[in-house]
């Protein structure tokens, strides 16, 4: 990591986390941490270029097949890769295969850029995190080892108390809020060597009164109806939320702040 760096380009690849769900803009599109990071970098460097190849719902095999070669060909200064967490949430998941595909991606990307950035993805406190924690920690151990071997940066979002706080997660309980994405952008910004704008991004928001029993039950019912049942339906039919969707920003072009 260098201090006060100058980067001229950024390519982000991955799934819904990198696409920016659920940081919803008024026009119905998603912003997210990668867009926020690109805007900060572009404000410092005239002619800064940015591409975001992420598509919601993608598994690590799809990221390798559809995004990695395209990202490597762009020869960007910085490439961010976050993937594999969707795999860990599947009922049947071969973690050896997931880690092997992640290794394939890193081996292609690391030589193609000046700085590869990997992440230990954030996880919301709750039963889903506890159920899949063993798989997640296998994935993150692989991330750490690959970073060590290929001189990549690792941004530890999994270990940040703020990003485990349910208040920073959307009602679907799978994606961060706008505030959560802002904190992720800050974490990557600092990892790249830039001067902190929020040194306490990892600290949870101030205490608030917890919702009452009725409010929690209403929220649980809404979550099941709007998000859990559709998610189960897609799993049973072999569909993905990203089917047919193009990459968010497929070309490495100048980014207007």
């Amino acid at each position: 990591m260098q201090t006060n760096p100058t980067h001229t380009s950024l390519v982000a690849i991955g799934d819904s986390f990198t696409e920016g769900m659920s940081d919803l803009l008024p026009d119905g599109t998603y912003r997210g941490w990668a867009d926020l990071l690109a805007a900060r970098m572009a404000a410092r460097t005239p002619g800064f270029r940015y591409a975001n190849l992420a598509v919601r719902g993608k598994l690590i095999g799809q990221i390798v097949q559809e995004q990695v070669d395209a990202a490597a060909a762009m020869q960007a200064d910085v490439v961010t890769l976050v993937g594999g967490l969707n795999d860990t949430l599947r009922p049947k998941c071969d973690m050896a295969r997931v880690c092997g595909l992640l290794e394939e991606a890193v081996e292609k990307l690391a030589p193609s850029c000046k700085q590869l950035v990997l992440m230990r993805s954030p996880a919301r406190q709750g039963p889903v995190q506890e159920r899949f924690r063993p798989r997640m920690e296998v994935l993150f151990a692989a991330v750490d080892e690959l970073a060590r071997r290929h001189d990549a940066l690792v941004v530890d979002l999994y270990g940040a108390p703020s990003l485990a706080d349910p208040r920073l997660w959307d009602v679907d309980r799978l994606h961060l809020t706008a505030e959560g994405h802002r904190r992720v952008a800050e974490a990557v910004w600092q990892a790249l060597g830039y001067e902190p704008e929020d040194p306490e991004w990892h600290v949870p928001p101030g205490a608030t009164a917890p919702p009452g029993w009725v409010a929690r039950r209403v929220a649980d019912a809404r979550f099941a109806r709007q998000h859990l049942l559709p998610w189960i339906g897609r799993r049973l039919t072999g569909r993905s939320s990203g089917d047919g969707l193009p990459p968010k920003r497929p070309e490495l072009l100048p980014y207007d702040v």
Side-chain angles (χ1 to χ4, degrees), residues 37-175:
L37 177 65
R40 285 196 192 184
M41 297 169 79
R44 291 175 59 105
T45 307
F48 182 84
R49 296 176 300 151
Y50 169 52
N52 188 327
L53 308 184
V55 178
R56 69 197 71 172
K58 293 299 182 182
L59 304 174
I60 186 61
Q62 294 169 309
I63 293 171
V64 171
Q65 182 178 9
E66 300 168 12
Q67 301 178 27
V68 167
D69 286 344
M74 292 178 181
Q75 298 285 302
D77 281 359
V78 178
V79 173
T80 66
L81 165 63
V82 189
L85 202 63
N86 282 336
D87 297 78
T88 69
L89 301 178
R90 296 297 177 103
K92 295 180 180 180
C93 174
D94 181 346
M95 287 306 300
R97 178 176 180 273
V98 170
C99 293
L101 287 165
L102 183 64
E103 181 176 14
E104 179 182 342
V106 170
E107 288 179 345
K108 289 183 177 180
L109 292 169
S112 76
C113 63
K114 293 182 179 178
Q115 183 62 69
L116 178 62
V117 178
L118 308 176
M119 299 187 202
R120 294 161 59 93
S121 305
R124 179 185 186 274
Q125 290 175 350
V128 172
Q129 179 190 24
E130 292 307 314
R131 178 179 178 183
F132 296 104
R133 182 190 295 274
R135 291 179 180 177
M136 294 164 64
E137 294 189 347
V138 168
L139 177 65
F140 299 153
V143 166
D144 290 342
E145 173 60 19
L146 289 168
R148 185 189 64 80
R149 284 164 40 196
H150 294 276
D151 293 322
L153 292 175
V154 176
V155 183
D156 185 14
L157 306 174
Y158 181 70
S162 62
L163 297 178
D165 191 317
R167 292 173 294 174
L168 267 66
W169 292 76
D170 190 51
V171 293
D172 67 1
R173 304 180 183 180
L174 287 174
H175 301 106

Side-chain angles (χ1 to χ4, degrees), residues 5 19 35 43-44 47-48 93 121 127 155 160 180-181 195 218 234 255:
E19 184 185 345
D35 284 12
R44 291 175 59 105
F48 182 84
C93 174
S121 305
V155 183
H181 280 282
E195 187 70 22
V218 169
R234 290 194 297 272
Y255 190 65

